[in-house]
Amino acid sequence: MKNLRALMMLLIAAAAGLTAVVFASRWMMAQNSGNTTKVVVATADIDLGQRVSPEFVKAIDWPSGSVPPGAFHDVGKVDGRVLKQTAMRGEPILEAKLSAQGSTGGLSAVIDPGKRAITVRVNDVIGVAGFALPGNYVDIIVNTQKDSNTQNTQSDQKISKIVLEHILVLAVAQEAARDETKPKVVDAVTLQVTPEQAEKIDLARSIGTLSLVLRNQVDPQDPNTAGATRATLLKLPQPPAPAPAHPSPVKVAVHHAAAPRDCVHVIDGASNTQECF
């Protein structure tokens, strides 16, 4: 009898718990359904550098508790703005993905403030076999002749040196879309650099040949290398350093005083002379 009573009480408690769970879930759903806000999202894929227009966006209901920072609630706020990152369909349009007010669109709109864009001619080797895509980062190597006054041959004077590191690829050929992963062999790559880096690239391509080195996008390391020469590449023995030249002794002319001589007076009549030996 006691066991039956305990079983009935257990069943009643389970039913009460289940009822509470059902009512709680319904209450939460009702709360969530009424707690939304409007968020502007893309209605189609929008490419980097493209101007946003009303036909590409719309405002939809979005849970208030999960609105991403920088989201817009009014379509008019993004009308005419230029994307500096590709936006996919259904993705919220964020302030961080838009260029500054007044940007005219195109590649110039995606260049960061204070930076410049410079184009470098490449081939299938220099362009890292087409794997240097927009959004990737590269290092730049120059192969040139060392400045030296020694009598070594020119082959001994060649050097390959990384001159710029962590350079952003803005575009390959005339395409700046960053949502591709398939290699694309092109004849030109456009890079984002500072004005000082632009000067270095312009000088480097006039004194030697350039190569691109693809690097990890999140790798902050900037190793300071000494460069590779024929001697370091082939591990040739280094010639002994020339002995330092010693200055020639200064010759000083010394004038010695004449040794004293013996002198006598000679009296010859009225004359009086002095003779020295």
Side-chain angles (χ1 to χ4, degrees), residues 57-125:
V57 293
K58 68 177 180 179
I60 65 172
D61 291 330
W62 196 278
S64 299
S66 59
V67 175
F72 293 89
H73 307 288
D74 183 6
V75 172
K77 297 292 185 179
V78 300
D79 187 17
R81 300 287 297 273
V82 177
L83 281 174
K84 63 180 181 180
Q85 296 181 25
T86 301
M88 308 302 292
R89 182 186 179 198
E91 181 180 354
I93 304 297
L94 307 179
E95 179 64 38
K97 292 191 174 186
L98 297 175
S99 299
Q101 291 277 5
S103 297
T104 58
L107 185 62
S108 62
V110 306
I111 302 175
D112 292 336
K115 298 296 184 69
R116 304 292 187 269
I118 187 170
T119 300
V120 177
R121 295 191 65 84
V122 297
N123 55 35
D124 57 344
V125 175

Side-chain angles (χ1 to χ4, degrees), residues 148-167:
S148 178
N149 295 323
T150 62
Q151 300 300 320
N152 293 344
T153 62
Q154 285 194 350
S155 60
D156 293 331
Q157 293 302 307
K158 273 190 171 294
I159 183 171
S160 288
K161 178 76 171 64
I162 295 178
V163 292
L164 293 174
E165 299 169 335
H166 209 261
I167 303 299

Side-chain angles (χ1 to χ4, degrees), residues 80-217:
R81 300 287 297 273
V82 177
L83 281 174
K84 63 180 181 180
Q85 296 181 25
T86 301
M88 308 302 292
R89 182 186 179 198
E91 181 180 354
I93 304 297
L94 307 179
E95 179 64 38
K97 292 191 174 186
L98 297 175
S99 299
Q101 291 277 5
S103 297
T104 58
L107 185 62
S108 62
V110 306
I111 302 175
D112 292 336
K115 298 296 184 69
R116 304 292 187 269
I118 187 170
T119 300
V120 177
R121 295 191 65 84
V122 297
N123 55 35
D124 57 344
V125 175
I126 295 175
V128 201
F131 282 99
L133 299 173
N136 293 157
Y137 286 87
V138 296
D139 294 344
I140 300 178
I141 294 180
V142 61
N143 182 279
T144 185
Q145 298 285 335
K146 293 174 63 177
D147 292 331
S148 178
N149 295 323
T150 62
Q151 300 300 320
N152 293 344
T153 62
Q154 285 194 350
S155 60
D156 293 331
Q157 293 302 307
K158 273 190 171 294
I159 183 171
S160 288
K161 178 76 171 64
I162 295 178
V163 292
L164 293 174
E165 299 169 335
H166 209 261
I167 303 299
L168 175 65
V169 177
L170 286 178
V172 293
Q174 283 77 40
E175 297 185 11
R178 300 186 181 181
D179 55 352
E180 297 185 10
T181 57
K182 184 178 179 180
K184 183 177 299 183
V185 178
V186 296
D187 59 358
V189 172
T190 301
L191 309 171
Q192 177 176 275
V193 295
T194 64
E196 294 79 7
Q197 290 171 333
E199 294 171 345
K200 291 182 179 180
I201 291 179
D202 187 64
L203 175 63
R205 63 186 177 186
S206 69
I207 64 174
T209 58
L210 301 181
S211 298
L212 304 183
V213 183
L214 189 64
R215 63 181 293 154
N216 190 305
Q217 298 189 61

